[in-house]
């Protein structure tokens, strides 16, 4: 059994709650510019405060570039992924990783009371697990060598 390494809320406390988003009415070109500007792989698509989808680099390559569509003429609403898998802050990191693996996604919006409170990537969660494991190893080494936990 895997020992719990924390919750999605713990990850968000560490990484921050910043969410990058676009309106469904912007062009794909504008969304790609924002991906590059913010150095992220996905943007939430928000209609006001309502999450209506997610737009990723994968959506662009598969639904625009490979189909010969124009990114300057295609609206995000035409190609966004509407079926968005979400987590809550109370989900464990392991639950988040499981959701991402089962649904073959790389970004997980975090929603509480129907409001987006953050987003985590698979990289965020893997880095969190690695960090937690490193801390556990240090504590065990300290214990074995007669040191006291810090």
């Amino acid at each position: 059994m895997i020992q719990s390494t924390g919750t999605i809320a713990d990850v968000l406390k560490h990484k921050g709650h910043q969410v990058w988003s676009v309106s469904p009415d912007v062009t794909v070109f504008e969304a790609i510019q924002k991906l590059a500007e913010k150095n992220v792989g996905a943007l939430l698509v928000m209609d006001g405060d309502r999450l209506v989808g997610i737009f990723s680099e994968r959506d662009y390559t598969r639904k625009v570039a490979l189909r010969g569509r124009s990114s300057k003429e295609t609206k995000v609403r035409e190609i966004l992924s509407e079926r968005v898998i979400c987590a809550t802050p109370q989900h464990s990191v392991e639950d988040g990783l499981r959701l991402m693996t089962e649904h073959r996604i790389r970004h997980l919006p975090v929603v509480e009371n129907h409001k987006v409170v953050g987003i985590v990537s698979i990289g965020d969660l893997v880095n969190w697990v690695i960090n937690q494991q490193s801390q556990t190893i240090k504590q065990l080494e300290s214990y074995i060598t007669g040191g006291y936990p810090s």
Side-chain angles (χ1 to χ4, degrees), residues 49-67:
D49 287 340
R50 192 171 62 92
L51 176 63
V52 295
I54 192 164
F55 170 79
S56 68
E57 295 165 330
R58 188 181 286 180
D59 290 319
Y60 168 71
T61 57
R62 293 181 180 182
K63 298 174 186 174
V64 177
L66 288 176
R67 293 185 183 169

Side-chain angles (χ1 to χ4, degrees), residues 24-66:
D25 297 317
V26 302
T27 65
V28 170
F29 185 81
E30 292 168 301
I32 293 168
Q33 285 180 312
K34 191 162 191 176
L35 286 174
E37 173 191 330
K38 302 302 181 187
N39 195 29
V40 295
L43 300 167
L44 297 186
V45 182
M46 305 288 293
D47 189 0
D49 287 340
R50 192 171 62 92
L51 176 63
V52 295
I54 192 164
F55 170 79
S56 68
E57 295 165 330
R58 188 181 286 180
D59 290 319
Y60 168 71
T61 57
R62 293 181 180 182
K63 298 174 186 174
V64 177
L66 288 176

Side-chain angles (χ1 to χ4, degrees), residues 129-150:
V129 170
I130 291 169
N131 185 40
Q132 294 302 304
Q133 289 175 346
S134 294
Q135 289 178 15
T136 300
I137 290 168
K138 286 178 187 172
Q139 290 172 351
L140 290 171
E141 287 173 343
S142 178
Y143 176 76
I144 290 168
T145 59
Y148 295 99
S150 52

